[in-house]
Amino acid sequence: MAKDYYKVLGVEKGADKEEIKKAYKKLAKKYHPDLNPNNKDAEQKFKEINEAVSVLSDDQKRSQYDQFGTADGQQFQGYDYSDFMHGQNFGDIFSGFDDVFGQIFGRQNRRSRGQDLAQEIEIELEDIAEGTRKTIQLNKLDRCKTCGGKGGDLERCSTCNGSGTHTRAQRTPFGMFQTTSTCRACSGSGQTIKDACKTCDGEGRTRVRKDITVQIPAGCEDGSQLRVRGEGVAGEHGQDPGDLFIILRIKPHRIFRRDGNNITLDVPISFVQAVLGDEVEVPIITGKAMLKIPPHTQNNTIFRMRDKGLRSREGTGDQLVKVSIKVPDHISKKQKELIEQLAQLEQEKPTSIFSKLFR
C-alpha cells in the first residue's frame, strides 16, 4: 500500500513548498535520531519524513505521486536536492536548530561540574551584632592532591583525536545536516587516562575532612544563605567544583527579642524606682548600658535606647526597654509600717473603674 506522504508531513494535499518546508523543519526537530537517542522509533520516523519531502518537494515526482499514488517506487536514498534548494538559505530553513542543539549537545560538551553542598549552622544573636567568623567542618569529595584532580597521567584520546567531540553528517532533503556530540571515550575532555593515580584510582577526587571558615555578616536574618564558591564537591577528573551554601539559623535568645534591627527587652524596676526615678544598668546586645528612669514612671512604659540594637547595611536599630514595676513577695515589719504611713498620707486615690461604669 502506497504511503500518504501528505499525512506523514501533516500537510494538506494542496500545500505549497513553503508549507512543506515548515512541516519538515518541525518534524526534523522532533524526530532526528541525535535528538531522540532513547526513542527507538525516531530513526524510522525520520526516514519516513525524508522520503515524503523528497517526493513532495520535487514538482515532477509530486505530480506523478498525486496522479498515480507512486513516484516510480523511488525512495529517499541520497537524492540531489540542489534544484529544490536553489536560491534558498540553509540557515534560514533551519533557523532555531542551533538553539536546540546548543541546549542538548552544549551541556554534554561541558564535563560534569561538582555538586553544590548545603550546610546549616546555628549561631547566637550576639554573633550578628557586629558580625563574626565561624569555622565548620565538612566531609566531602575534594580534588586529589596527588594528581591534581586529573586522575593520573593523561594522553590524547584516540577516539576523537583530542577534540572531545564526535561529528556526524547526514544528508537531508535540504542538504547535509551535521550534528556534534560529546566523545563518549573521553567524556569531552579530549584526553584519556594512561596510568591511573593510585591515590584516587583515576577518579581525580578523594574524601577528606576540611575546615571552612566563613564571615557571618552583621544583622543577617534567620535562614540567610552564604555562598562559598568552589567549596562544594570536586568535579570529576579535574573539573570545576560546586559551591557551598551555608544556611544560618539564629537561636532564640534568653532575654532579647528581635524585631528587624531593633531589640526588645523586659526590665523589672521597684516601686520606689518608679516613683522617685533612678538610673539602672541594663544589658544590651553588645554588653551593658545605663538607662535613666524618670520619676513617676508608669508600669509597662517603653523606653527607646537609640542605636543600641543590631547593625546592618540598612543602619543600626534601637533597643526598646519595657519596664514593669515589681511588687516584692515579702516585706519586713519596718517596710510595712512605712507603707502604711504612706497610705495614710495619700489624699487622692485612683478612681474606681466601677464608678466610671455606673456613673
Side-chain angles (χ1 to χ4, degrees):
M1 181 181 242
K3 293 181 180 179
D4 187 341
Y5 291 143
Y6 293 102
K7 186 175 181 179
V8 170
L9 294 180
V11 297
E12 298 294 333
K13 190 171 182 180
D16 58 23
K17 289 185 178 182
E18 189 63 32
E19 291 177 292
I20 292 173
K21 290 181 200 176
K22 290 180 179 179
Y24 176 78
K25 173 182 173 180
K26 180 179 179 180
L27 292 171
K29 289 181 181 180
K30 185 175 181 181
Y31 292 109
H32 194 283
D34 287 342
L35 301 178
N36 298 270
N38 298 323
N39 187 346
K40 297 180 181 179
D41 299 327
E43 186 172 355
Q44 181 59 35
K45 187 69 176 178
F46 189 65
K47 289 180 180 179
E48 290 179 3
I49 63 176
N50 277 307
E51 179 183 333
V53 78
S54 70
V55 173
L56 298 184
S57 62
D58 185 287
D59 292 338
Q60 183 177 351
K61 291 176 184 177
R62 181 174 180 177
S63 177
Q64 183 172 340
Y65 173 76
D66 289 342
Q67 186 174 3
F68 302 108
T70 179
D72 283 335
Q74 294 193 31
Q75 305 278 322
F76 173 64
Q77 297 280 349
Y79 292 107
D80 182 2
Y81 299 100
S82 57
D83 291 338
F84 179 74
M85 290 297 295
H86 180 68
Q88 301 295 329
N89 188 318
F90 183 80
D92 291 340
I93 293 174
F94 282 95
S95 62
F97 266 38
D98 289 342
D99 293 338
V100 175
F101 292 142
Q103 292 172 7
I104 294 175
F105 297 113
R107 284 196 300 264
Q108 294 177 352
N109 288 336
R110 295 194 298 267
R111 298 179 65 199
S112 299
R113 171 182 176 270
Q115 292 180 337
D116 293 334
L117 290 178
Q119 179 80 33
E120 283 193 357
I121 63 171
E122 284 191 330
I123 58 177
E124 304 289 347
L125 190 61
E126 287 86 353
D127 292 332
I128 63 172
E130 299 290 341
T132 188
R133 296 174 69 85
K134 290 287 183 181
T135 300
I136 62 174
Q137 188 178 79
L138 295 178
N139 186 341
K140 65 166 188 169
L141 286 172
D142 207 5
R143 182 170 293 179
C144 176
K145 294 183 178 179
T146 302
C147 64
K150 296 179 180 180
D153 295 332
L154 304 179
E155 62 181 0
R156 178 182 293 181
C157 175
S158 59
T159 303
C160 65
N161 197 30
S163 68
T165 59
H166 172 70
T167 302
R168 175 183 178 184
Q170 184 173 0
R171 184 180 295 277
T172 75
F174 300 113
M176 293 300 294
F177 188 45
Q178 181 172 297
T179 59
T180 302
S181 58
T182 302
C183 175
R184 295 182 178 179
C186 65
S187 300
S189 69
Q191 296 177 310
T192 54
I193 299 176
K194 181 179 180 180
D195 295 315
C197 171
K198 295 181 180 180
T199 302
C200 63
D201 293 328
E203 186 178 354
R205 305 181 296 183
T206 56
R207 185 163 294 279
V208 299
R209 290 185 179 274
K210 188 173 183 179
D211 289 337
I212 307 293
T213 301
V214 294
Q215 179 68 41
I216 308 297
C220 60
E221 298 283 347
D222 181 70
S224 297
Q225 292 188 12
L226 305 179
R227 183 176 187 175
V228 186
R229 295 188 181 275
E231 289 298 348
V233 176
E236 296 180 359
H237 303 294
Q239 296 306 300
D240 292 337
D243 297 330
L244 170 64
F245 291 87
I246 297 177
I247 304 169
L248 303 178
R249 296 299 180 192
I250 303 175
K251 297 179 183 178
H253 199 275
R254 182 173 56 88
I255 60 173
F256 294 122
R257 296 183 302 277
R258 181 181 185 181
D259 181 12
N261 280 351
N262 292 334
I263 295 295
T264 62
L265 173 68
D266 293 333
V267 173
I269 60 174
S270 69
F271 173 75
V272 174
Q273 288 175 314
V275 173
L276 301 179
D278 197 4
E279 190 172 15
V280 298
E281 186 179 68
V282 298
I284 59 174
I285 195 66
T286 56
K288 296 178 181 180
M290 301 304 294
L291 173 65
K292 185 176 181 179
I293 307 295
H296 315 299
T297 294
Q298 301 298 310
N299 191 41
N300 295 329
T301 298
I302 297 177
F303 296 97
R304 182 181 295 272
M305 303 178 71
R306 298 285 182 184
D307 298 330
K308 298 300 183 184
L310 296 174
R311 181 175 57 85
S312 71
R313 293 180 179 178
E314 289 72 32
T316 303
D318 302 327
Q319 178 160 298
L320 304 177
V321 179
K322 181 180 179 181
V323 297
S324 57
I325 300 174
K326 181 175 176 59
V327 177
D329 296 329
H330 303 283
I331 56 176
S332 66
K333 184 177 179 181
K334 182 63 175 177
Q335 288 173 323
K336 184 178 179 181
E337 292 175 354
L338 292 174
I339 293 174
E340 289 174 345
Q341 292 176 21
L342 179 61
Q344 292 175 3
L345 293 174
E346 284 187 347
Q347 297 180 0
E348 182 180 350
K349 294 185 178 180
T351 304
S352 170
I353 190 172
F354 294 104
S355 64
K356 293 181 180 181
L357 291 174
F358 300 105
R359 180 176 298 171

